[in-house]
Amino acid sequence: MNVETQTSNVKPRKRFKMPHTFVILVVLVLVGAALTYLIPAGEFDRAEDPVTGDTLVVPGSYHHVENNPVSLFGIPKAIVHGMVDSADVVFFILIIGGAFQVITATGTIEAVTGRVARKFADKGRWVIPIFITLFSVGGFTMGMSTEVMVFVPIGIAIARALGFDALTGTAMITLGAACGFTAGVLNPFNVGLAQAIAEIPIFSGAGLRIVLLVCLIVVTSLYLVRYAGRVRKDASQSLVYDMEKEAAGEPIDFSSLPAMKLKHYLTILTVIAGFAILIWGVSKLGWWMEELAALFLTMGVISGFCAGFGPSRIASEFVKGASAITYGALIIGLARGIMVTLDQGNVIDTVVYGLSTLVGWLPGSVQVLGMYLFQNVMNVFITSGSGMAVTTMPIMVPLSDLLGISRQTTVLAYQLGDGISNMILPTSSALMGSLAVSGIPYQKWVRFFWPIMVMWLIIGAVFVLVARAMNYS
């Protein structure tokens, strides 16, 4: 047999493909069921905090209880049970998704972007931090992530008009939203949900998160400005130089960008007023998911009327937004099924006890880094922020109680672990969608982004240590 024949008989190796998120979660449910047979059942005593009313784990109270393993036939029931238990959260997410779709449909985001583009088109590098800051607002209020791909072409056109490249234009849009999402100042999809699970006031502790947001924006802006400056000085320094040679001579038509109209100003005022009421209601009246969902619903309806939409158009846009987020809502229910399985088998507290023992071997000042690392690793497998909150927070909250770490610090470790790696994971729909729109190869993006990710990881570690030291609450 000759070499050519031997070569033709060799089958190409199949690349590993990450399973669907639902598959991963169902596998985790199965793993959870298996653990109910392998891990001794046990539980902590719990008591109500007389000051806050929170249910807290009593340190040193862990004890074994009778095993109650979950049967094979009990697994589907546990998944359904998880969805039922998560009904309030699921509908909260659906309502917010619908409301934000109505706001998006008004064209206000595009109009604001267009106005900023025209105003700062001749300001060179100042455009970069301005756009990063602008899109960070979308990230830390309505959890903008996948939606940014719509604005990537505008960012690329503006960047090229200023002598930069497509990578700069894509980054100043996507990384702006990522900075806001990671800081999560008023993001109901990650911070709000995690705080609800942790039984602490929703959107409390915003001061430190604002500082975190500023740090992320400054570091990202400096890095991107430096890169863009090198590209404008010498186009061959661009990581996507081949793309830029092909796209040379494509000017941006600023007249095609939408202009600000009365309906856009009214929508902006509605959103600002809505978030002002949100802050007041949460801080003064103790509002929870029911009141917040009603507020977001009202914001969406009023925004629709401000844009001149009729009732049917508002309803249509609302259903469109709720439908788009159904995937994430179902993830919450599936993820909850994992905890239902472990809870029915009485092994959650055993896992927490084991983790507390493991992390307890670390020096007190760096125990929180173990939690931070855990959340970053989990984000590789569960890219949904809401899904990861439901999966990990029920474990991390009692663990933080045992270690004497505030629940607010635990939420901070979660949100940083959820947000930082999103812009490098190939399983991230926000990243891969933006790269598909821009035409930038994934490996080029990784080469560009990894220094920023390292800086973000360091900033995150510093902030969780600071939160631990100050007993962040």
Side-chain angles (χ1 to χ4, degrees), residues 26-355:
V26 171
V27 169
L28 289 177
V29 172
L30 295 172
V31 171
L35 290 178
T36 63
Y37 289 89
L38 301 175
I39 297 177
E43 63 182 27
F44 289 101
D45 294 331
R46 286 170 168 80
E48 183 177 299
D49 189 316
V51 178
T52 64
D54 297 339
T55 302
L56 304 177
V57 169
V58 178
S61 65
Y62 175 79
H63 57 278
H64 291 289
V65 296
E66 183 179 353
N67 287 344
N68 184 34
V70 177
S71 67
L72 184 63
F73 297 103
I75 293 174
K77 186 176 179 180
I79 293 175
V80 174
H81 191 174
M83 291 183 175
V84 173
D85 282 356
S86 305
D88 56 343
V89 177
V90 168
F91 280 103
F92 177 65
I93 297 296
L94 290 174
I95 289 173
I96 291 176
F100 280 140
Q101 173 57 35
V102 176
I103 294 171
T104 301
T106 65
T108 301
I109 298 176
E110 291 94 332
V112 171
T113 303
R115 178 166 183 173
V116 172
R118 283 187 291 269
K119 186 175 181 63
F120 295 96
D122 59 347
K123 300 297 191 299
R125 299 185 195 180
W126 280 105
V127 168
I128 294 172
I130 289 171
F131 267 79
I132 288 176
T133 302
L134 175 63
F135 280 90
S136 75
V137 176
F140 74 70
T141 54
M142 55 183 175
M144 179 182 285
S145 55
T146 309
E147 302 87 344
V148 297
M149 71 178 69
V150 177
F151 305 98
V152 167
I154 296 176
I156 292 175
I158 293 171
R160 284 174 172 163
L162 297 173
F164 305 142
D165 63 359
L167 200 50
T168 302
T170 301
M172 68 186 189
I173 302 293
T174 58
L175 295 186
C179 286
F181 186 89
T182 301
V185 181
L186 296 172
N187 185 351
F189 297 104
N190 62 357
V191 171
L193 177 58
Q195 289 179 326
I197 296 172
E199 297 183 334
I200 57 179
I202 294 180
F203 303 131
S204 58
L208 187 63
R209 295 199 299 277
I210 291 174
V211 177
L212 170 63
L213 174 65
V214 172
C215 289
L216 293 175
I217 290 175
V218 169
V219 168
T220 305
S221 297
L222 289 175
Y223 179 87
L224 191 51
V225 165
R226 182 171 176 269
Y227 169 81
R230 292 203 313 267
V231 170
R232 185 160 64 175
K233 186 177 180 180
D234 180 3
S236 65
Q237 294 295 309
S238 170
L239 294 177
V240 289
Y241 181 54
D242 293 340
M243 282 181 56
E244 296 309 304
K245 286 192 296 184
E246 295 178 3
E250 296 181 3
I252 180 174
D253 181 11
F254 285 101
S255 63
S256 66
L257 298 176
M260 290 290 291
K261 298 179 181 179
L262 177 62
K263 65 178 183 179
H264 301 136
Y265 288 108
L266 292 176
T267 301
I268 291 172
L269 288 175
T270 299
V271 173
I272 292 175
F275 275 100
I277 294 172
L278 180 150
I279 294 171
W280 171 71
V282 169
S283 61
K284 300 296 184 182
L285 303 180
W287 283 3
W288 204 241
M289 285 192 186
E290 184 177 346
E291 293 83 2
L292 293 180
L295 175 62
F296 281 114
L297 178 60
T298 304
M299 284 171 55
V301 173
I302 294 177
S303 296
F305 283 130
C306 288
F309 295 169
S312 294
R313 173 70 187 278
I314 294 174
S316 177
E317 294 294 343
F318 183 89
V319 171
K320 180 181 177 181
S323 300
I325 209 166
T326 301
Y327 169 77
L330 288 174
I331 284 178
I332 294 173
L334 279 172
R336 180 62 184 168
I338 302 169
M339 305 315 300
V340 169
T341 302
L342 296 175
D343 184 54
Q344 290 179 349
N346 294 322
V347 298
I348 288 182
D349 285 359
T350 303
V351 172
V352 171
Y353 179 72
L355 284 173

Side-chain angles (χ1 to χ4, degrees), residues 16 228 440:
F16 172 76
I440 297 172

Side-chain angles (χ1 to χ4, degrees), residues 22 92 116 393 424:
F22 284 9
F92 177 65
V116 172
M393 290 304 294
I424 204 168

Side-chain angles (χ1 to χ4, degrees), residues 380-452:
V380 175
F381 303 100
I382 305 175
T383 54
S384 164
S386 302
M388 194 165 80
V390 178
T391 303
T392 63
M393 290 304 294
I395 293 176
M396 303 311 285
V397 167
L399 175 61
S400 65
D401 291 342
L402 289 173
L403 298 175
I405 297 172
S406 72
R407 293 188 176 188
Q408 195 75 266
T409 302
T410 305
V411 172
L412 180 66
Y414 148 76
Q415 75 186 72
L416 289 168
D418 172 45
I420 289 176
S421 58
N422 279 340
M423 294 311 295
I424 204 168
L425 293 175
T427 53
S428 169
S429 58
L431 170 61
M432 301 312 290
S434 296
L435 294 183
V437 171
S438 66
I440 297 172
Y442 174 71
Q443 60 270 27
K444 296 284 187 181
W445 175 264
V446 172
R447 183 179 171 187
F448 164 80
F449 179 70
W450 76 261
I452 302 179

